[in-house]
Structures are given as C-alpha cells and as structure tokens.
Amino acid sequence: MAFYDKLIESLGLADWCSNEASTGPVSMADLLKQTQGDDSAADTSFWDTPFPSLDELNAACSAIPKTRSVTDGVENSFLSIKDPLKTVLDPITQPLSWALDGSMWLFEALPWFVVIPIFLLVVYWATRSLALVGFVGVSFLFMAFIDHYLPAIQTLSIIFVCTSFSVVLGVPIGILMSRSRSMRRALVPILDMLQTLPTFVYLIPLIFLFSVTESKLYGIAIILYAIVPVIRLTDLGIRLVDKEVLEAAHAFGMTDRQKLFKVQIPLALPNIMAGVNQTIMMSLAMVVIASLVSAPGLGVLVLRGIRNLELGVGLVAGLGIVLLAVLLDRVTKAALARVNAAQKQQ
Amino acid sequence: MSKNPMISIRNLYKIFGDTPDKMMELVRAGIGKEELLEAHGHVLGLQDINVDMQEGETTVVMGLSGSGKSTLIRHINRLIDPTAGEVLIQGDNVLEYDSDRLRAMRRSQMSMVFQHFALLPHRNVLENVALAPIVRGDPSESYDPEARHWLERVGLAGYEDHYPHQLSGGMQQRVGIARALTSNAPIMLMDEAFSALDPLIRTDMQDLLLELQNELAKTIVFISHDLDEALKLADHLVILKDGLVVQQDEPQHILLNPQDDYVVDFIADINRARVLRVRSIMDPISQDSFVGDVDQEASLEDVIALTGGDTSGMYRVTRAGAVVGQLDLKALVRALVRTKASDTRRAF
Ligand SMILES: Nc1ncnc2c1ncn2[C@@H]1O[C@H](COP(=O)(O)OP(=O)(O)OP(=O)(O)O)[C@@H](O)[C@H]1O
Ligand SMILES: [Mg+2]
C-alpha cells in the first residue's frame, strides 16, 4: 500500500494506472523494499506525509514515471545528439590536441639546461625584475632536484597552451560583448554557469564526446573553466575606457578599427592582463582535476597520493603545484604592474 | 556681420529618450521641458537653436550646468546627431554627410579640446600632439616638425618623450591645445577647456589662447560656465538656459542691454569697470574741450584711474591716434550701475 493510493482512487485514475503499467527501471529503493518484505503502510500518520514526488506517486500509480526515468531521459537525449555533435566538434577542436601534444613534445624533447634558461629569459623580459628571475630559477632547480622536473614542465606546458587558447578566444568574445548589449545578455548567464559548475561536472559530458586518449579532452575542460575571467575583464576593461578619450578618438576622425586598436585595447590592457592572470590561476586549479582524465603533470602525482594513500608523494606534488602557482602569479602580476605603470591614467 | 558664417546652426532641436521623433511633434506643438520630462520621460536638451559663428571669431557659449552647452558643441562635429534642424559648415549641411565624409571633415576641418584633456595615456606627449596626422595616416617625417613646433608654441618644448601622467593639469591641457593646433583645422571646438584648471593657470591659458588666436584667427567655439572667462575671450557670446538661447550678441552689448532677468542675474556679479570698454559707452563727438585722451579699447577701470576720482570732465576717445568719439564721465558712472533688463523685452 502506498500513501497516495486513496488520492489516485478518488480522482478515478485507478484504471488508467493499472492499464499502463510502468516499464521504468527498478530503483534501489524498490529492491530494498522487496527484500525487507512489504509491511503495510496504511497506517502512516499525518506527520509522515511524503512529498508527492515522482517515485512516491509511482508507488501508487505505476503509469506515472519514476525519477530515474528523468535522468535516463537526459542521458538518452545527450547520447542521441552525441554523434552529430562529435562530427562537428571533433575537427574544430583538433588543433587543440595538436597544440597540446606539440608543446608537450617540445618541452620534453629539449634538455633541462635549455628549458630553464629560456624560462628565466622570458621572466626577465616580462618583468625586468632580477629578484623574480632568481626566485623562478631557485624554484625550478629545487623541483628538478627532487625529480619533479618532468611533471612540473608538463603542467606548465598544458597551462601555457590552454592560456594561449583562452586569450585568443576570450579577448575577441569580450570585445563583442562590450559592443552589443544583446550579446552581453546572452553571454553573462553562460559565463556564470561555467564559473559555478562544479569542476568535475565539466568532465562528464566530455568523456562521452571525446576519447580519453585524446589530449583535447582535458584541454577543453581546462579552457571552458579558465576562459571566463579573460572574457569578463576584457568586456569590463573596454567598457571602462574613459568616455572623453573615446570622444577625442571620434572627434579626430578615427575609424572603428583605429579606435579599437589604438585606444580601446591599449587602455583596456591592464584589465585584460588581470584577466589573464586569473585565467592562469584557474587553469592551474583545473589541471589537477583534469589528471582524472589523463592530463599528465603534477596532478597525476597528487592523484596517486590519493589512490594509493601515498601521503608523501601527494603532499610533495601539491607543494610543487603551490610553487608553480606562486611563481606564475608573481610573474604575471609583475608584468601587469609594468603595463599599469606605463599608462597610468591621468 | 559677414554674410557667410563659418558655422551656422539652424532650428536645432535635440531630445534625449527612446522615441525622440514622436516627442518632436509634441515639442513643435509647444510642450515645455518640464512637462516633456514628467509626462513622457524625455529630456529636451536643445530647443530651436539658431547661432551663426563667424570665421576667425571666438564664439563663447555659456550657461549653467545642464543648460545644454556640451550637447550643442557636440552637434557641430556630430558626436551627437540632432532630432531636428541643420548644422551648416561653410554652407554645407553636415547632417547629409555619410560616415566617410564625416570622418574626413573631422580629420581636416575641426579639432577639439576637452575638459579633462582626453589625452591617450599610453602614448607620449609628441605622439599625442601628432594624433590628427597619425589618424590621417601621414608619414612621421611630415608631421614630426609640425608637432614639435606647436608643442614649443604652447611652451612645452623638451617634454616630447614624457607621458601625460607625468605632467600637471595645465601642462596636459597645453598638450591638448597643441594637439588641436597640429591638426591644422580651421575650426577649434573647446568644451570647458579650462574649467578643470586652477585660477592662475587658467588665466595663463586664456592669455595663451588669445595670443594664438591673434596670430592664427581660427574659428573657435568655446564653452564656459565662467562669465569672466567668457567676456575675456568672446567676440560673440551666446547665453543658454534650459536648452534655449536667451540672448546672443557682442559681449559688451549684452552687458549694457541684458534682455531678461535671467541675463541680469547672470551678469550681476562681474566687475563691470574692468570688463566694459570705452568704445561701448562713448558718444559721437559733439564738443571740443576735453580733459584728456583715452584709447577706445581702454577699460573703464583704466579711465577711472586716469581721472584720479574726478568724475566731471569729458574725454576724447581715440583709436590708433585718430579721434573716434567722446566719453562723458557721467555716462561712465552710469554704466557702472547694474543694468535692469531692457523694458522692450521684459514683456516676453
Ligand atoms: N545622453 C543623454 N541622455 C539623456 N539626457 C542627456 C544626455 N546627455 C545630456 N542630457 C541632458 O541634456 C541636458 C544638457 O546636458 P549637457 O551635458 O549638454 O549640459 P552642460 O550645459 O554641458 O552642463 P555642464 O556644465 O554640467 O557640462 C541635461 O539636462 C542632461 O541631463
Ligand atoms: Mg558640459
């Protein structure tokens, strides 16, 4: 006896219910009930009134679907569009795989005594700070010394590629967003969703769409998560450009193109750079989770720490990630400060 | 006045809101600014503006905050499009220009100076000054000497490689003026160009502008909410109130013949002795005994200093040595008293 039997009967739906017996899947609750034996529920008190949910109504009337059918429905509809989606997405996203694999190959192929000096030169070029160069150098030598050079370089390679893609895609999207109100109205909810979606949830549909052996699988997960701040801050930066300066651009007869490249983007640059900084930090966070779907690097070691309860391995790898985070953050912030100083507003 | 004004604004209306064209019919039917705002949510920015600006003259537009000064000046280079009316530049209707033609006009015919300077913070002073030729796409050899010349002319030689944030406000506005001059445009629009500067620097800049104007004779449209500044610079003064022109004329004439109480209040606090010139109150010559000679451009203050306080005599007025009229000191004293609105217009 289910709680809502009386209700179904009084509505005169009993016939309809028994005619169309549900063929829905058996839920765990049903199984438990069967094993425990059905003791009569007729004397359920008022205080125990269950919410009339799908499962509860199904118990009284088998024509009503169970909740499980809903999730099945979602799954089936996703599976049914999966193949067409895959034929479209596969070629579009292929360059991402090439970039990820190519960069990984390059970083691994070059010997450490070439890679580390290149890094130091890049850091110096971006920040003009010898202190930071020293810090980066010591960090790398330390990681190399404890045999974490390879995973660290793999993680960096992934971040490098994903950040580049995020900037190349995100800045134009941000520019479009700053120009049209309807574009912004359409994009803001998507960006909000991307930012609040639990990171693991990104992986679920992607696993179905792409094979786990392809590097673009984790690339896409990272980019989807990390691209949001570049888009947001590009949009913000361009909208914050001093109105009078824009008027001057118009008054002196600039074309839209000149306005964009000579005024809007340069003046929005500090904000765009702040977005890039956040993007880097977010890809670093995601790269650890992405190691669940075969992203190489320090995340794999963290995962090993969890799976095999190898406390030390996990902690040291985690420390390496923190070190990378601090280092990337300091370097991009210093570069940002340099841009800021070069164009402090009046 | 010459017959062909450089800039001519005809029956210009501007309504801010969602459906300005629909509101335009109501305005033509005589609805007022307040009612339009309360009943329809539209702002009547400008109504029925008619102003001629002569070549080589400085036209000053003044009025209180919100009277529509910025809106008006932005119609001249079409940063704002009007709801109705015409803007003619040397007889050409700017509103008929397509975007290419409009851009060409902004590049070659007009330059603009802004209240908060509006320099490009990421470009150095020289690049800022050369903005107009850079936008036009000229090669740097052709504009470099020009830009340096104007930078030197506004007193900033040696600052070529500085960035705007390294300069004081007054210096930044000098860069703004040099930028406008480098464009070589005959028309210069200045929206409260000196309002953000402190008083001493401001006087300096006004003197600089007068000096440049003596030499270059540009057609300047200058926005100000400071009457002293307006009187100092203006050849033609336009007083705006709530989007309407209340009075426009030669400034001395406005001082002596204010058309309504609004203008009277407006000019109440200025130092008339310092602003009024002998030529504005002199009479045709009619007698031959004089206490002395004064130049027609002398201010009344100068004349009072000359008399040593004795206000009874008659002076002979000269221009470049030639006699042009006579000045009765009694008339001078009368001119110093605040004028009432002229009776003919008070009936309005
Ligand atoms: N884009 C706009 N939308 C709606 N109303 C506007 C807009 N621009 C100006 N206005 C209105 O038009 C009127 C005139 O504004 P304007 O900026 O021309 O005044 P102003 O004389 O330059 O004042 P200020 O001395 O403060 O600069 C004001 O009432 C203002 O609220
Ligand atoms: Mg204004």
Side-chain angles (χ1 to χ4, degrees):
Chain A
M1 275 306 272
F3 188 86
Y4 287 100
D5 278 355
K6 292 226 175 61
L7 179 71
I8 298 285
E9 262 167 48
S10 66
L11 286 175
L13 293 173
D15 282 347
W16 172 71
C17 285
S18 47
N19 278 346
E20 307 198 18
S22 162
T23 50
V26 183
S27 76
M28 190 58 106
D30 292 333
L31 290 174
L32 279 177
K33 219 185 261 171
Q34 278 170 21
T35 53
Q36 284 170 358
D38 196 354
D39 49 348
S40 174
D43 54 350
T44 319
S45 83
F46 172 73
W47 287 108
D48 292 330
T49 306
F51 185 84
S53 66
L54 284 180
D55 279 353
E56 208 53 56
L57 291 174
N58 174 272
C61 169
S62 43
I64 297 173
K66 290 186 179 182
T67 296
R68 185 61 209 253
S69 317
V70 176
T71 48
D72 277 352
V74 172
E75 184 170 326
N76 287 329
S77 51
F78 179 79
L79 288 179
S80 67
I81 59 163
K82 182 193 115 176
D83 285 330
L85 204 60
K86 196 172 157 70
T87 42
V88 179
L89 286 183
D90 235 5
I92 302 180
T93 52
Q94 202 51 45
L96 179 59
S97 275
W98 294 333
L100 282 166
D101 295 341
S103 145
M104 191 75 73
W105 173 84
L106 186 70
F107 274 116
E108 285 177 10
L110 290 174
W112 61 271
F113 49 83
V114 175
V115 172
I116 295 182
I118 289 179
F119 276 156
L120 297 183
L121 278 179
V122 170
V123 170
Y124 183 72
W125 171 79
T127 65
R128 299 289 140 94
S129 152
L130 283 177
L132 264 179
V133 172
F135 172 60
V136 173
V138 170
S139 308
F140 263 94
L141 291 179
F142 170 69
M143 278 192 279
F145 188 65
I146 57 169
D147 283 300
H148 279 57
Y149 170 78
L150 191 61
I153 219 88
Q154 287 170 332
T155 298
L156 270 182
S157 155
I158 295 173
I159 289 174
F160 171 72
V161 172
C162 289
T163 305
S164 310
F165 271 78
S166 296
V167 171
V168 168
L169 296 172
V171 170
I173 295 177
I175 291 171
L176 288 179
M177 214 169 137
S178 70
R179 297 192 151 194
S180 116
R181 184 176 297 216
S182 50
M183 186 84 178
R184 178 155 352 119
R185 216 175 280 153
L187 276 178
V188 165
I190 299 181
L191 295 182
D192 287 342
M193 192 194 77
L194 286 179
Q195 219 166 17
T196 44
L197 211 59
T199 39
F200 288 104
V201 179
Y202 282 97
L203 302 178
I204 303 171
L206 290 176
I207 293 171
F208 280 84
L209 275 176
F210 305 106
S211 98
V212 183
T213 53
E214 285 179 294
S215 30
K216 64 183 168 192
L217 171 56
Y218 61 82
I220 293 173
I222 295 172
I223 290 173
L224 278 181
Y225 183 62
I227 198 174
V228 182
V230 189
I231 298 179
R232 274 195 211 278
L233 283 153
T234 303
D235 168 46
L236 181 77
I238 288 189
R239 277 186 300 130
L240 283 185
V241 168
D242 187 353
K243 227 182 115 264
E244 227 187 32
V245 176
L246 270 188
E247 270 192 328
H250 277 136
F252 282 89
M254 282 198 187
T255 60
D256 276 353
R257 218 186 139 74
Q258 286 176 320
K259 202 178 72 183
L260 182 66
F261 288 107
K262 288 183 195 265
V263 180
Q264 289 176 308
I265 292 183
L267 266 65
L269 202 58
N271 274 311
I272 297 178
M273 296 274 287
V276 173
N277 170 274
Q278 285 187 32
T279 288
I280 292 178
M281 292 299 111
M282 288 173 73
S283 16
L284 190 57
M286 193 64 179
V287 92
V288 178
I289 291 165
S291 58
L292 280 174
V293 285
S294 81
L298 291 166
V300 175
L301 295 180
V302 176
L303 214 60
R304 201 173 103 200
I306 297 173
R307 281 209 189 112
N308 309 349
L309 292 180
E310 296 182 51
L311 178 68
V313 174
L315 283 186
V316 170
L319 193 74
I321 287 170
V322 171
L323 205 56
L324 277 189
V326 173
L327 182 154
L328 287 170
D329 186 56
R330 288 299 124 80
V331 172
T332 46
K333 285 244 175 77
L336 175 64
R338 235 161 52 85
V339 174
N340 269 335
Q343 55 157 281
K344 206 163 92 196
Q345 299 281 342
Q346 301 105 330
Chain B
M1 285 213 171
S2 81
K3 275 188 229 97
N4 294 321
M6 188 73 163
I7 304 169
S8 173
I9 296 170
R10 297 258 159 274
N11 309 106
L12 192 78
Y13 285 84
K14 176 66 187 178
I15 299 171
F16 292 107
D18 298 329
T19 54
D21 290 327
K22 223 162 97 193
M23 295 302 127
M24 195 56 220
E25 290 160 24
L26 299 177
V27 171
R28 288 214 199 275
I31 192 174
K33 181 171 172 145
E34 278 82 35
E35 197 185 342
L36 190 71
L37 183 61
E38 270 163 32
H40 304 280
H42 282 60
V43 177
L44 183 48
L46 293 174
Q47 36 184 330
D48 201 15
I49 306 282
N50 286 284
V51 180
D52 283 344
M53 302 173 182
Q54 306 300 329
E55 177 163 9
E57 287 194 350
T58 304
T59 303
V60 176
V61 179
M62 66 170 310
L64 301 177
S65 191
S67 55
K69 308 180 296 287
S70 299
T71 311
L72 178 58
I73 202 172
R74 279 164 178 68
H75 276 88
I76 297 175
N77 59 359
R78 268 188 69 189
L79 289 180
I80 299 180
D81 279 337
T83 311
E86 296 182 330
V87 178
L88 308 174
I89 308 290
Q90 291 179 312
D92 266 3
N93 190 351
V94 179
L95 300 174
E96 285 163 4
Y97 285 7
D98 59 12
S99 62
D100 283 345
R101 186 92 195 275
L102 180 64
R103 204 174 309 123
M105 180 196 76
R106 287 172 177 169
R107 287 177 176 190
S108 61
Q109 294 272 90
M110 292 179 186
S111 58
M112 194 160 180
V113 183
F114 294 84
Q115 179 170 4
H116 299 109
F117 327 131
L119 303 176
L120 296 178
H122 60 296
R123 297 299 185 91
N124 68 22
V125 166
L126 193 67
E127 289 167 325
N128 265 291
V129 170
L131 182 66
I134 290 177
V135 168
R136 286 198 289 259
D138 297 355
S140 83
E141 315 86 68
S142 78
Y143 63 70
D144 195 84
E146 182 94 0
R148 283 176 198 277
H149 165 74
W150 288 118
L151 202 56
E152 190 190 325
R153 199 67 194 69
V154 299
L156 284 181
Y159 285 93
E160 287 84 357
D161 296 330
H162 285 58
Y163 281 84
H165 72 267
Q166 297 170 313
L167 306 182
S168 72
M171 290 158 95
Q172 289 188 40
Q173 195 57 301
R174 283 168 194 264
V175 176
I177 291 175
R179 172 171 77 176
L181 293 172
T182 306
S183 90
N184 263 328
I187 298 173
M188 210 161 131
L189 308 175
M190 307 180 78
D191 186 2
E192 307 218 17
F194 306 149
S195 299
L197 307 173
D198 56 50
L200 274 180
I201 310 273
R202 198 163 164 169
T203 315
D204 272 0
M205 299 296 284
Q206 291 161 358
D207 294 339
L208 173 71
L209 186 65
L210 283 174
E211 187 190 319
L212 289 166
Q213 178 62 355
N214 265 335
E215 184 181 317
L216 305 169
K218 303 244 179 209
T219 306
I220 298 180
V221 184
F222 193 99
I223 303 285
S224 176
H225 58 234
D226 174 10
L227 188 61
D228 287 312
E229 180 172 85
L231 293 170
K232 182 168 174 183
L233 301 175
D235 296 309
H236 185 71
L237 179 61
V238 179
I239 299 181
L240 270 187
K241 180 199 174 195
D242 293 341
L244 268 171
V245 174
V246 241
Q247 188 171 8
Q248 55 172 322
D249 215 320
E250 209 248 293
Q252 303 263 314
H253 188 261
I254 292 183
L255 281 184
L256 294 167
N257 308 287
Q259 256 174 21
D260 68 7
D261 293 337
Y262 179 77
V263 183
V264 172
D265 284 345
F266 221 99
I267 59 178
D269 290 333
I270 56 148
N271 181 346
R272 297 170 68 89
R274 186 167 299 165
V275 176
L276 285 173
R277 310 270 152 187
V278 169
R279 68 177 148 85
S280 312
I281 58 166
M282 68 187 183
D283 301 309
I285 202 132
S286 65
Q287 62 181 79
D288 46 13
S289 77
F290 296 105
V291 207
D293 286 356
V294 287
D295 188 85
Q296 68 160 6
E297 291 303 326
S299 70
L300 303 193
E301 202 175 45
D302 297 338
V303 181
I304 295 169
L306 208 65
T307 62
D310 174 11
T311 56
S312 56
M314 185 78 84
Y315 277 83
R316 193 165 58 178
V317 182
T318 59
R319 181 174 65 194
V323 177
V324 289
Q326 64 182 22
L327 173 67
D328 187 347
L329 284 180
K330 291 204 188 69
L332 183 152
V333 176
R334 269 198 305 279
L336 290 181
V337 180
R338 280 162 48 174
T339 338
K340 294 230 168 54
S342 42
D343 295 330
T344 46
R345 285 304 188 112
R346 284 189 96 172
F348 268 72

